């Protein structure tokens, strides 16, 4: 967990804990020079169970963690207890999965990992990014995208929860590039856009937030395929996370 000079800490969400646990288990197996198939055979599990645990697609119980670490000859009791606690936290805390009715698995992973990132890079050609949206801009955008009133309320709740990250003493540096169309397209009318642009200008005064505008006059460029986000972490156990709009998040 990252600590600032004043002692403030970044939030470690359940999604980050799950990533930390699966990476640690994968590294422990590699250190034991054991294949996934061999580990599964020794524990009388299916190979697919080991694969799913290491990919984070299934929850892992504290008992399973102890069995795996024993198999991999991890003898450090403090390390064992640390990983067992991660497994307990991951099972007891729903995290962002509470919004699985309106969010894709990739979005759940992205939002859960944002607070722990050192830097968030984002390119968004068409709309103001969710972290920067005012409530009225977000409501207008969600409505035109075909969401029901119930879905709009749920998604607004998501945005409000994500944006609380910016109010914390320690938050990731944000380096965002917006396409000219994101500000030129009037979402919700003039008053809504005026408020939205004023909010963006205020955010650019916050330390650690950079917003650049890519004009249409710049012509063709490599990022024309769509929006993307890259999360980078200080923690060596957490690899960079790439999120492509309408596709799944993936580590790199």
């Amino acid at each position: 967990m990252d600590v600032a000079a004043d002692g403030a800490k970044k939030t470690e969400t359940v999604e980050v804990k799950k990533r930390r646990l699966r990476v640690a288990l994968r590294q422990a197996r590699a250190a034991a020079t054991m294949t996934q198939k061999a580990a599964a055979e020794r524990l009388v599990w299916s190979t697919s169970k080991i694969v799913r645990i290491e990919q984070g697609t299934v929850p892992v119980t504290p008992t399973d963690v102890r069995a795996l670490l024993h198999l991999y000859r991890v003898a450090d009791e403090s390390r064992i207890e640390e990983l067992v606690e991660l497994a307990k936290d991951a099972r007891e805390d729903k995290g962002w999965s509470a919004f699985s009715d309106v969010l894709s698995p990739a979005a759940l992973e992205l939002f859960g990992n944002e607070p722990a990132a050192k830097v968030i890079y984002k390119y968004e050609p068409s709309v103001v990014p969710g972290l920067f949206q005012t409530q009225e801009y977000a409501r207008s955008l969600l409505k035109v995208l075909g969401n029901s009133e119930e879905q709009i309320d749920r998604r607004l709740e998501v945005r409000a929860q994500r944006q609380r990250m910016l109010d914390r003493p320690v938050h990731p540096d944000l380096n965002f590039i917006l396409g000219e169309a994101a500000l030129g397209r009037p979402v919700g009318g003039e008053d809504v856009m005026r408020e939205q642009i004023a909010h963006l200008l205020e955010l650019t005064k916050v330390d650690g937030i950079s917003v650049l505008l890519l004009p249409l006059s710049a012509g063709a460029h490599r990022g024309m395929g769509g929006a993307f986000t890259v999360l980078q972490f200080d923690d060596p156990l957490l690899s960079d996370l790439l999120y492509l709009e309408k596709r799944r998040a993936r580590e790199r």
Side-chain angles (χ1 to χ4, degrees), residues 42-95:
R42 291 283 299 276
L43 293 170
V44 198
W45 293 354
S46 66
T47 303
S48 63
K49 178 174 179 177
I50 300 287
V51 172
R52 291 195 301 270
I53 286 174
E54 293 187 1
Q55 290 179 340
T57 57
V58 295
V60 54
T61 68
T63 300
D64 285 347
V65 169
R66 288 188 183 278
L68 287 166
L69 295 178
H70 177 72
L71 176 63
Y72 301 152
R73 298 185 177 87
V74 177
D76 185 339
E77 285 298 328
S78 63
R79 180 59 170 161
I80 293 172
E81 289 306 315
E82 177 188 353
L83 297 180
V84 167
E85 286 302 313
L86 286 179
K88 290 179 180 178
D89 291 345
R91 291 176 66 83
E92 294 170 0
D93 184 350
K94 291 188 66 176

Side-chain angles (χ1 to χ4, degrees), residues 151-167:
Q151 289 172 325
I152 289 173
D153 288 341
R154 288 285 286 162
R155 291 181 184 276
L156 287 176
E157 187 178 352
V158 169
R159 277 166 172 72
Q161 185 163 318
R162 286 181 71 202
Q163 290 173 355
R164 291 191 192 110
M165 175 180 71
L166 304 181
D167 297 327

Side-chain angles (χ1 to χ4, degrees), residues 48-226:
S48 63
K49 178 174 179 177
I50 300 287
V51 172
R52 291 195 301 270
I53 286 174
E54 293 187 1
Q55 290 179 340
T57 57
V58 295
V60 54
T61 68
T63 300
D64 285 347
V65 169
R66 288 188 183 278
L68 287 166
L69 295 178
H70 177 72
L71 176 63
Y72 301 152
R73 298 185 177 87
V74 177
D76 185 339
E77 285 298 328
S78 63
R79 180 59 170 161
I80 293 172
E81 289 306 315
E82 177 188 353
L83 297 180
V84 167
E85 286 302 313
L86 286 179
K88 290 179 180 178
D89 291 345
R91 291 176 66 83
E92 294 170 0
D93 184 350
K94 291 188 66 176
W96 281 93
S97 65
F99 294 103
S100 59
D101 57 321
V102 292
L103 296 177
S104 68
L108 295 172
E109 184 170 5
L110 173 69
F111 299 167
N113 280 274
E114 283 177 332
K118 177 184 179 182
V119 186
I120 299 177
Y121 298 97
K122 184 171 183 64
Y123 169 66
E124 174 54 73
S126 304
V127 298
V128 175
L131 278 172
F132 293 165
Q133 291 174 5
T134 64
Q135 185 176 47
E136 289 309 311
Y137 179 97
R139 182 179 294 278
S140 299
L141 181 62
L142 290 168
K143 185 174 182 179
V144 78
L145 291 177
N147 290 274
S148 67
E149 286 300 318
E150 182 180 358
Q151 289 172 325
I152 289 173
D153 288 341
R154 288 285 286 162
R155 291 181 184 276
L156 287 176
E157 187 178 352
V158 169
R159 277 166 172 72
Q161 185 163 318
R162 286 181 71 202
Q163 290 173 355
R164 291 191 192 110
M165 175 180 71
L166 304 181
D167 297 327
R168 293 172 182 147
V170 180
H171 61 73
D173 287 342
L174 306 181
N175 293 319
F176 283 21
I177 298 176
L178 309 186
E180 184 178 340
L183 300 184
R185 179 178 290 108
V187 175
E190 291 184 4
D191 289 343
V192 171
M193 286 305 298
R194 188 177 298 112
E195 179 189 34
Q196 177 62 76
I197 292 173
H199 180 58
L200 265 179
L201 290 173
E202 286 300 312
L203 285 171
T204 61
K205 299 175 184 178
V206 177
D207 288 342
I209 296 181
S210 171
V211 181
L212 300 178
L213 188 66
L214 181 64
L216 294 173
S217 60
H221 56 87
R222 294 182 65 182
M224 291 177 63

